[in-house]
Amino acid sequence: MECSLGIKNKKIRIAFYKGPMNWRTWIVNWRTGGPYTHCELIMPSGDCIGISPEDSPPRIRMKRQEFPDDNWDFIDIMVDQIQIIKIIAFFNSTYGHRYDWFGMIMSYLLPWFIKHERKWYCSQWIATLLTVSDVYSFNYIKMSPTKLYDILSMKVNNGLIDGSVEDA
């Protein structure tokens, strides 16, 4: 499919983890109450970009990763070449930033949003990436993986975002 500028649309995937829990994913599940404890963005190339507390060290990175269907649900979103360029630019500008455990936990314990300028958690980073790349603008500060999934799946299912939802 091509848009009016002749730029081919491509698919990005957002993978939402719902598999077995360890102490880190248990904390996210306990705090958010939803089935998803982590999310990753998969580029059209198959490279996975994002941040995970399971990485050593936990920093924004790009890697290849397997996503067993029984542990992950997916939302596919169509993007154009300009959005891909913006996604890559945001990735490059945040590459190496660390995981924000303190900000994530304190933001859910307190009524205020706590955020370190150069630290992120997975769903917050993806929501910001989707906003700055003009895929979808998020106005939510406290973005858990489950909240991100709920918002994106509703927008896709209602035709507000061009894509599809794949629940295992």
Side-chain angles (χ1 to χ4, degrees), residues 108-120:
Y108 282 98
L109 293 176
L110 301 172
W112 307 286
F113 176 61
I114 310 294
K115 164 92 175 79
H116 187 281
E117 183 179 324
R118 297 177 53 85
K119 292 184 178 181
W120 303 86

Side-chain angles (χ1 to χ4, degrees), residues 119-161:
K119 292 184 178 181
W120 303 86
Y121 48 92
C122 61
S123 49
Q124 174 195 60
W125 186 81
I126 290 174
T128 303
L129 176 141
L130 294 173
T131 299
V132 300
S133 62
D134 297 321
V135 173
Y136 181 77
S137 291
F138 287 91
N139 295 319
Y140 305 95
I141 294 173
K142 297 179 182 181
M143 184 64 65
S144 71
T146 297
K147 188 177 212 176
L148 181 62
Y149 178 87
D150 290 345
I151 292 168
L152 288 175
S153 63
M154 181 192 65
K155 299 298 181 184
V156 166
N157 288 333
N158 289 329
L160 300 173
I161 297 176

Side-chain angles (χ1 to χ4, degrees), residues 13-31:
R13 299 191 98 186
I14 302 173
F16 295 88
Y17 182 74
K18 61 178 181 182
M21 287 191 264
N22 60 29
W23 70 271
R24 291 179 181 124
T25 54
W26 183 87
I27 289 171
V28 174
N29 181 268
W30 167 74
R31 213 37 227 136

